[in-house]
Amino acid sequence: DFQMTQFPSSLSASVGDRVTITCRASQGFGGWLAWYQQKPGKVPKLLIYKTSILESGVPSRFSGSASGTDFTLTISSLQSDDFATYYCQQYGNYPWTFGQGTKVEIK
Amino acid sequence: EVQLLESGGGLAQPGGSLRLSCTASELIFATYDKHWVRQAPGKGLEWLSSVGGGGAATAYADSVKGRFTVSRDSSHRTLYLQMNSLRAEDTALYYCAARRGCSGAICYGLEYWGQGALVTVSS
């Protein structure tokens, strides 16, 4: 099966920092990759789909990119509302798979 | 308003069965792909199953294939997940989620999520 390896599993950052989270795919899948944000006790929220398309209403400080089989979520200037867990998900091949998650914590 | 509402969670014994329901708004039920995703306590997200907007195409994760079955009832705008042969590791919050599917060259991510139904498998 398709594997998505997400790293780091956690990171500590300060407000205003630039943050990057990476997902590495075990094989190509057409770039059908989404990023989700989940806050404690809350439902996941779609941030980005098709590698780099921002979901409506998501702040422009979030961006997505790819290089080969590495996919990156970047938060250009971390805000207090961004402390959460982030997941990547490939949806190019069934079964769909999520990355393991990255918890972004306050430094 | 777009809405997904799960029900049917609860306590089941190992080897037992439960059926989850997800009632969707008219728009979502008629045209969106619908999916089940779960999250074990303190763990990450796990995609489980999907049914296409038209209801014909289904897919499953290896972890539930042969044990779980997704179906839909158009008259009640409801998606079901029949869970059989339950195991302790199936204990999780089960989300119903939906997306527009694909439009032209773009396929969307999971845009809409229900609040989840908690399933506990324990003797």
Side-chain angles (χ1 to χ4, degrees), chain A residues 10 15 20 22 25 28 31-33 38 43 46 53 64 80 90 101-102 104:
Chain A
S10 66
V15 171
T20 60
T22 299
W32 299 110
L33 185 111
Q38 187 179 33
V43 169
L46 176 66
I53 301 176
S80 57
Q90 71 80 18
T102 296
V104 176

Side-chain angles (χ1 to χ4, degrees), chain A residues 1 32 34 36 38 42-44 46 49-50 53 55 87 89 91 94-96 98-100, chain B residues 35 39 43-45 47 50 59-60 62 95 99 105-111 113-115:
Chain A
D1 278 351
W32 299 110
Y36 300 85
Q38 187 179 33
K42 300 296 185 182
V43 169
L46 176 66
Y49 57 96
K50 188 56 168 91
I53 301 176
E55 174 72 345
Y87 297 91
Q89 179 210 27
Y91 59 100
Y94 281 114
W96 290 5
F98 285 92
Q100 296 84 355
Chain B
H35 300 253
Q39 187 167 34
K43 302 297 184 183
L45 301 171
W47 178 87
S50 70
Y60 297 92
D62 291 346
Y95 292 107
R99 66 163 192 165
I106 296 296
C107 296
Y108 298 89
L110 294 171
E111 306 158 81
W113 295 69
Q115 292 302 305

Side-chain angles (χ1 to χ4, degrees), chain B residues 82-123:
Chain B
Q82 178 66 45
M83 305 184 293
N84 298 331
S85 303
L86 283 164
R87 307 165 180 166
E89 55 264 35
D90 294 320
T91 295
L93 186 62
Y94 285 72
Y95 292 107
C96 176
R99 66 163 192 165
R100 277 171 277 178
C102 299
S103 176
I106 296 296
C107 296
Y108 298 89
L110 294 171
E111 306 158 81
Y112 302 105
W113 295 69
Q115 292 302 305
L118 183 62
V119 171
T120 303
V121 183
S122 174
S123 55

Side-chain angles (χ1 to χ4, degrees), chain B residues 4-52:
Chain B
L4 295 165
L5 185 63
E6 301 95 338
S7 60
L11 178 65
Q13 298 221 334
S17 299
L18 272 179
R19 188 178 76 163
L20 300 181
S21 301
C22 173
T23 301
S25 65
E26 188 169 350
L27 174 64
I28 281 188
F29 193 84
T31 61
Y32 283 45
D33 294 349
K34 293 163 282 293
H35 300 253
W36 290 99
V37 175
R38 70 183 177 187
Q39 187 167 34
K43 302 297 184 183
L45 301 171
E46 180 186 12
W47 178 87
L48 297 180
S49 180
S50 70
V51 58

